[in-house]
Amino acid sequence: MPKSRIPASPLAAEAAAWSPPATPLALRPHDGEGAAMLAGRFAEKGAAERAFGATAQGAALLAALGGHSPYLADLALRESATLLRLMERGPDATFALALDPLSRADPAATRPGVASLLRQAKRQAALIAAVADLLGLWPLDRVTGALSDLADACTDYACAHLLREAQARGDLKLAGGAARHDPRATGKGSGLVVLGMGKLGGRELNYSSDIDLMVLYDPEAAAYDADRAGAIYVRLARDLVRLLEERTEHGYVFRTDLRLRPDPAATPLAVSLPAAIVYYESMGQNWERAAMIKARPVAGDRALGEHFLREIRPFVWRRHLDFAAVADIHSIKRQIHAHKGHKGAHASVQVAGHDVKLGRGGIREIEFTTQVLQLIWGGRDPGLRDPTTLGALAALAAAGKIDRRAAADLADAYGFLRTVEHRLQMVADRQTHRLPEDEAGLALIASFMGFDGAASFAAALVGHLTKVERRYAGLFEEAPDLSAGEGAGGDLVFTGVEDDPGTLETLRGLGFQNPSAIAGVVRGWHHGRTRATRSERARELLTALMPALLTAFGRQPQPDAALLRLDAALGRLPAGVQVLSLLARNPALLDRLAFVLGAAPQLADHFSRNAAALDGLLAGVGGVFSPSGNTAGADPTATLPALVKDARFLEEALEAARRLVTERKFEIDAAALEGRIDVDEAGTARSALADAAIGGLLPRIAQDFARRHGKVAGGNLGVVALGKLGGRDMLPGSDLDLILVYDHAEEATESTGGQKTLAASQYFGRLANQVVGALTAPGAEGRLYEVDMRLRPSGSKGPVAVSLPAFERYHAESAWTWERMALTRARFVAGAPGLKRRVEAAIRQAQIRPADARQVLADATAMRARLLRDLPGEGPWDVKHRAGGLIEVEFIAQALQVAHAARLPAILSPTTRLALAALARAKVLPAAEAEALVAAERLWRAITAHLRLTVGQWREEALPEPVAAALLRALATHLPQPPVDQPALRAQMRDAAARVRESFIRHVGDPTIPPA
């Protein structure tokens, strides 16, 4: 091995100037047996060791090491020569000698040889730093700086070796070849950048710290094949971690953490420089800005690393006063102890078991205070950008950005707490920050700190913690409460890449079944992997909202599924700031969203596929009918005709209509699901929405059609609704039963004024097809509606549009009983006023045409029997087709209207419940029986609507409990005596079905008896 490159004369001079402490170390051993054991074993090492142990200084030092730290005692034995050299030449010269082998790269070194050399340097440097600390030879900043120098040297040496290996494999071409002896020279031009982050970056490494590294690379710099650069540098990063942290018979060097790289859950171990720059410019988070305050190159191409840091400087240091960072970074800290009632090492100032890093009044609060103030003011004042905590505090105080007394309190506490941290870690080389919970353990640390007992140590500790807590609270505790809510206290930390154990426990306590998966989803939001959270402002809002959001979703029967649906929805939103702002300002909206996503999988799936649906939910229930029957605000559908009219072209008009209808459907469905409107109000609102869509689009479609084909003199097309739309009781997902009717001047035979002339019947047939196509064509927001035209004259084989004379003639001469029954629900919904009057008159005339009552009822009975045979109910929840179900209620109302309308026209109504009431007033039905039928019809519609919003078609005997609970909640607004549980509901359903079947048999016929 080459001779040392450290000049002999300075070391000799330094050693000559060195004199050991005049008085022995006054640290009394806590463990006398351990002290005696080390003294005896040390003496056995040799004459020099025996002589040192016989001196007062040597005996005191060995007693202090052996009496407090098994780890340091072992180091003293393994590296006795280093300890003797330290006492002879001083800590600075000895430390330089310990690192000296790492300043020379040996091209012939093997991987095991490099690993052994690194571990030797670590042992020697760790012993020197500990002894210099305990003897008071080095202040805190020199101790942490020396440990950081060690990490720098080890990382640089390891990287130089790995780069030479990569060159030997033919992966990289290194400038100057592989024979350079200087590790720093090897890194130049290598394309490799290793940044020290966290305490390493700030040269504040603690005694048993891991080292936070970020590995970056320039794909064009040294790789022979730029396309393979990623794999090459990822391998290098993986080998670096293995070389540093693998435990061998010689120990380990440093535990290594690469999770501070950009978006660590989604990026490889080594990230290309261009990708990293793009990430920080577009998706970097405030906590990453805080982390970058301390970043510095520690290995590889340092000049390239400095260039990278200059490139992202605008991300870290913003010119404007960045007070928004206060709330965001503070919220991260508050997430560490999200509820003040949390019982644990973070909750309050204490001694036993207190975490001096993360707990109240701890090191993290000092660092947060410093870093937040730096982020706020450092953009305008470069003098505040000191990466060290103590240096930054001094600069902030000098600039008047923090009270000098406060800065002094924080600095004093920082020095004390970092010393406590070092003593905790020196005991057994464990990366711990938590004080022992037992008296013996606390007594050991108190003694190691030089106190005469645990009580005096506790008093000093609490004094510092209390000052820090008070200073921190003065800056940050006025921020918005981020408590996760009553009973939901605990950690909520999502800023790293691995699961935080405390956070998993909190999520489990909130009710989540798979806390690890949920934590991964939330981390993805914070890292901007979801489109809606890619902006900085969105992530700031998300951080503040997170405890309340998780609490709201945790209250749902299936919180994991509900949160995953929210994740899907956020992924489809173009931006999340508006939504997250509204949720942050209005917790009730958050509760609504959680309920909808938790209770209704079908509705939630629609929500996740349609971003506009969220706008509808957040808009409230304007226009949805209130329980009193009045509209709760202006109906949003009133704007639909204006939107359609203002559109530049038809497709734009259709998209505007689809967007508004989609939002409105979701809004109505959510209100119904939550029980804020009953099933009648929801049906009326859905029908009004469909009316508005058809009425708004029909003129625009006709206008567009007329540009091409002109107009037919005196001609107009109208739309007649039947079925659920005609009866104004549409359900979620109801299609539209339509008849399109046209009329024109008797003498008009064809269109005029267009590019292509069409015969009148052909004109309106094509126009009708355009109308149906517009209603059913899919767009970005899905399709408006499904349309069923089978109820038109001549059924599916007849023309799409029927002329008014043909409509009148058909219903006067040829209509079947089932067509006459369907026509009882007919309602003109769109078209010119003159046409409306004529069509409504034709419908009325067809409805009151005399009928053979016995034949009508027999036909209705036969139809019901055929349906029972061909479309039987599929399980107890198929309340439409089951015996005594919705079809039978509707058949009763329709058949009796057809049978008696000629003599009792007042019984006619397109709405089933109103028709039944009218039949009761006309004495066709007994009042009590009509009331029971109305109640059954309302129950069947309520159940059908709820199942369509939740599970769709359900064939099992019992509903899933969350669905049943939501159904019972909704029924509470629909029924005078709502059931309390599933068995009660099933009993009520059986009773209602039996009453309906009895009425059907009594007034229509028995569908179970074959016709004679």
Side-chain angles (χ1 to χ4, degrees):
M1 180 175 290
K3 297 176 68 175
S4 172
R5 297 178 61 192
I6 297 180
S9 54
L11 288 177
E14 188 177 340
W18 158 257
S19 58
T23 58
L25 177 63
L27 195 63
R28 294 189 299 273
H30 179 74
D31 177 6
E33 183 178 341
M37 182 179 298
L38 175 59
R41 294 182 63 189
F42 195 82
E44 295 172 358
K45 295 285 293 183
E49 287 84 357
R50 195 160 43 253
F52 173 72
T55 66
Q57 290 89 348
L61 177 60
L62 293 174
L65 299 179
H68 293 99
S69 168
Y71 172 67
L72 292 179
D74 180 67
L75 279 184
L77 292 172
R78 295 186 67 176
E79 299 293 340
S80 60
T82 299
L83 180 59
L84 296 178
R85 186 181 303 117
L86 185 155
M87 299 307 295
E88 176 187 351
R89 309 182 68 172
D92 294 296
T94 308
F95 190 81
L97 283 172
L99 298 193
D100 179 59
L102 302 181
S103 67
R104 303 182 306 278
D106 181 2
T110 62
R111 183 80 67 90
V114 169
S116 177
L117 184 62
L118 291 172
R119 284 152 180 76
Q120 173 186 292
K122 166 65 183 295
R123 291 194 305 271
Q124 294 177 359
L127 178 62
I128 295 164
V131 171
D133 185 2
L134 293 171
L135 291 174
L137 304 176
W138 280 353
L140 176 64
D141 62 343
R142 179 69 179 100
V143 174
T144 59
L147 293 170
S148 302
D149 288 342
L150 169 66
D152 287 4
C154 289
T155 305
D156 208 16
Y157 188 84
C159 284
H161 173 74
L162 295 172
L163 286 169
R164 289 193 304 273
E165 281 190 341
Q167 176 168 275
R169 288 194 303 268
D171 289 340
L172 299 176
K173 51 181 182 296
L174 299 179
R180 289 184 171 183
H181 297 289
D182 184 353
R184 290 202 175 198
T186 305
K188 289 180 181 178
S190 66
L192 174 69
V193 172
V194 181
L195 299 181
M197 308 292 291
K199 286 187 167 58
L200 172 59
R203 295 181 51 77
E204 298 173 325
L205 217 56
N206 57 46
Y207 193 75
S208 293
S209 178
D210 59 5
I211 56 175
D212 292 302
L213 302 177
M214 182 186 298
V215 180
L216 306 169
Y217 66 90
D218 178 356
E220 304 290 340
Y224 285 101
D225 182 356
D227 292 337
R228 290 188 56 242
I232 292 168
Y233 288 101
V234 165
R235 175 179 178 178
L236 200 151
R238 186 179 295 112
D239 287 347
L240 174 63
V241 171
R242 185 179 297 117
L243 192 52
L244 292 178
E245 70 178 22
E246 188 174 35
R247 290 184 179 271
T248 70
E249 68 273 18
H250 304 295
Y252 72 103
V253 190
F254 286 100
R255 290 174 293 269
T256 306
D257 192 339
L258 302 183
R259 292 174 298 175
L260 288 181
R261 68 187 184 274
D263 197 2
T267 55
L269 296 180
V271 180
S272 75
L273 287 166
I277 291 171
V278 169
Y279 171 84
Y280 288 120
E281 288 177 345
S282 60
M283 291 188 289
Q285 301 176 58
N286 271 325
W287 71 266
E288 291 174 305
R289 293 176 58 206
M292 278 295 172
I293 291 175
K294 296 181 179 296
R296 65 182 176 88
V298 298
D301 191 331
R302 285 172 168 77
L304 186 57
E306 294 289 358
H307 171 75
F308 168 75
L309 293 178
R310 285 194 298 272
E311 285 290 307
I312 66 166
R313 188 177 296 161
F315 160 70
V316 182
W317 304 111
R318 297 179 181 171
R319 299 292 295 173
H320 60 277
L321 298 180
D322 194 10
F323 288 99
V326 176
D328 188 40
I329 295 184
H330 171 61
S331 68
I332 297 168
K333 175 65 176 74
R334 289 288 299 280
Q335 285 178 16
I336 295 173
H337 40 77
H339 193 276
K340 292 184 180 180
H342 176 50
K343 306 247 186 269
H346 311 327
S348 59
V349 169
Q350 58 189 51
V351 177
H354 193 70
D355 191 315
V356 297
K357 177 181 178 181
L358 300 180
R360 283 285 187 175
I363 296 168
R364 181 59 57 84
E365 290 189 353
I366 301 172
E367 293 172 337
F368 263 71
T369 300
T370 307
Q371 291 167 2
V372 170
L373 291 175
Q374 285 181 284
L375 289 180
I376 293 172
W377 302 106
R380 290 190 172 188
D381 185 355
L384 302 179
R385 300 175 185 177
D386 193 306
T388 68
T389 302
L390 293 177
L393 279 172
L396 289 164
K401 304 306 180 187
I402 187 173
D403 178 76
R404 288 183 179 272
R405 183 65 261 170
D409 286 345
L410 293 175
D412 290 345
Y414 184 80
F416 183 86
L417 295 175
R418 289 301 306 272
T419 303
V420 174
E421 180 183 52
H422 284 186
R423 297 299 178 270
L424 288 169
Q425 295 174 353
M426 285 177 181
V427 171
D429 190 28
R430 289 180 55 240
Q431 190 189 10
T432 182
H433 313 279
R434 185 168 294 192
L435 286 161
E437 297 186 5
D438 59 298
E439 292 184 6
L442 283 173
L444 169 65
I445 298 302
S447 173
F448 211 3
M449 286 288 294
F451 286 88
D452 56 8
S456 57
F457 166 67
L461 175 67
V462 170
H464 285 297
L465 294 174
T466 303
K467 286 181 180 179
V468 172
E469 183 183 35
R470 186 173 67 250
R471 298 297 186 185
Y472 180 84
L475 280 171
F476 300 123
E477 292 299 336
E478 296 304 316
D481 183 19
L482 298 177
S483 166
E486 183 179 355
D491 295 355
L492 287 175
V493 182
F494 302 105
T495 55
V497 65
E498 291 186 355
D499 293 335
D500 171 67
T503 299
L504 297 185
E505 190 60 33
T506 302
L507 291 172
R508 190 173 288 108
L510 286 169
F512 292 98
Q513 299 300 308
N514 189 344
S516 182
I518 297 303
V521 168
V522 176
R523 277 198 303 273
W525 295 345
H526 282 294
H527 281 104
R529 286 195 290 275
T530 296
R531 184 177 3 177
T533 63
R534 284 177 187 165
S535 75
E536 178 187 359
R537 180 58 182 152
R539 291 194 299 276
E540 289 174 357
L541 288 166
L542 184 70
T543 302
L545 187 64
M546 192 50 58
L549 186 149
L550 289 172
T551 300
F553 277 80
R555 285 195 290 263
Q556 304 314 310
Q558 294 178 315
D560 299 65
L563 197 78
L564 290 176
R565 293 181 192 122
L566 176 63
D567 180 50
L570 290 176
R572 290 176 171 88
L573 285 175
V577 171
Q578 181 184 10
V579 169
L580 295 171
S581 296
L582 286 167
L583 292 175
R585 289 198 301 268
N586 192 339
L589 290 180
L590 182 57
D591 289 335
R592 285 189 67 200
L593 179 63
F595 173 76
V596 168
L597 296 186
Q602 296 290 329
L603 192 57
D605 290 343
H606 165 79
F607 163 72
S608 67
R609 291 192 303 269
N610 297 274
L614 186 59
D615 296 334
L617 179 63
L618 296 178
V621 288
V624 174
F625 288 89
S626 68
S628 65
N630 299 319
T631 56
D635 187 345
T637 57
T639 65
L640 196 150
L643 284 173
V644 170
K645 185 177 180 181
D646 290 344
R648 294 167 297 171
F649 42 84
L650 181 59
E651 189 54 44
E652 186 177 280
L654 291 174
E655 280 305 317
R658 291 183 191 112
R659 183 168 57 253
L660 190 146
V661 168
T662 298
E663 294 173 3
R664 185 69 171 153
K665 281 180 181 177
F666 184 85
E667 181 184 332
I668 296 167
D669 290 346
L673 182 72
E674 296 169 299
R676 291 184 295 109
I677 57 174
D678 65 26
V679 67
D680 295 342
E681 295 160 346
T684 303
R686 292 188 190 100
S687 302
L689 176 62
D691 287 357
I694 299 169
L697 287 171
L698 179 61
R700 184 60 190 265
I701 297 168
Q703 181 184 33
D704 186 75
F705 190 78
R707 285 198 198 97
R708 301 190 304 275
H709 301 291
K711 293 185 178 181
V712 176
N716 281 294
L717 180 72
V719 181
V720 176
L722 299 97
K724 291 287 189 292
L725 173 58
R728 291 192 179 92
D729 50 16
M730 287 182 70
L731 295 168
S734 287
D735 57 14
L736 307 183
D737 293 300
L738 302 180
I739 299 175
L740 278 75
V741 182
Y742 67 89
D743 196 16
H744 55 80
E746 195 170 332
E747 66 277 7
T749 59
E750 62 183 19
S751 63
T752 59
Q755 299 170 358
K756 183 178 180 181
T757 299
L758 295 174
S761 60
Q762 189 180 21
Y763 181 96
F764 288 107
R766 289 193 182 182
L767 176 56
N769 279 324
Q770 295 276 313
V771 173
V772 174
L775 294 173
T776 58
E781 301 291 342
R783 68 185 74 233
L784 283 167
Y785 295 99
E786 297 287 351
V787 173
D788 189 341
M789 303 289 292
R790 290 175 296 176
L791 293 180
R792 67 187 187 269
S794 302
S796 57
K797 295 182 180 179
V800 176
V802 59
S803 69
L804 180 56
F807 177 87
E808 292 172 322
R809 187 167 53 254
Y810 181 85
H811 280 284
E813 302 172 357
S814 306
W816 296 78
T817 297
W818 68 267
E819 290 175 306
R820 297 193 64 183
M821 289 171 61
L823 200 66
T824 63
R825 311 200 72 183
R827 186 169 59 85
F828 190 93
V829 296
L835 179 63
K836 177 181 180 182
R837 288 191 297 271
R838 295 194 297 276
V839 171
E840 286 181 340
I843 291 172
R844 185 71 170 181
Q845 190 62 36
Q847 289 174 336
I848 63 174
R849 181 167 64 87
D852 182 342
R854 293 180 60 184
Q855 186 60 49
V856 168
L857 300 179
D859 289 346
T861 303
M863 279 191 289
R864 180 60 185 136
R866 189 161 54 251
L867 286 173
L868 284 171
R869 182 190 69 222
D870 298 341
L871 293 171
E874 297 186 13
W877 299 101
D878 185 354
V879 297
K880 178 180 179 180
H881 296 98
R882 68 175 291 172
L886 184 60
I887 285 179
E888 293 189 11
V889 180
E890 293 174 341
F891 268 36
I892 292 171
Q894 293 166 16
L896 292 179
Q897 286 182 91
V898 173
H900 301 287
R903 65 182 182 86
L904 297 170
I907 65 176
L908 289 170
S909 173
T911 305
T912 300
R913 61 185 181 278
L914 300 181
L916 290 168
L919 287 164
R921 288 193 298 271
K923 309 299 184 184
V924 176
L925 283 175
E929 197 169 349
E931 187 176 336
L933 289 171
V934 169
E937 190 260 357
R938 182 174 286 115
L939 175 64
W940 298 149
R941 282 190 292 115
I943 291 173
T944 302
H946 188 84
L947 294 183
R948 288 187 182 181
L949 293 176
T950 55
V951 293
Q953 194 171 20
W954 188 259
R955 295 181 175 86
E956 305 296 328
E957 285 294 318
L959 290 174
E961 198 52 45
V963 175
L967 174 57
L968 294 170
R969 172 178 167 175
L971 289 176
T973 65
H974 302 147
L975 306 175
Q977 295 181 326
V980 296
D981 54 25
Q982 274 205 73
L985 174 59
R986 293 286 299 280
Q988 194 166 340
M989 291 167 60
R990 286 192 296 271
D991 181 64
R995 288 172 179 265
V996 171
R997 174 51 65 88
E998 288 173 4
S999 291
F1000 190 94
I1001 293 172
R1002 183 180 301 114
H1003 297 286
V1004 183
D1006 190 343
T1008 63
I1009 299 176

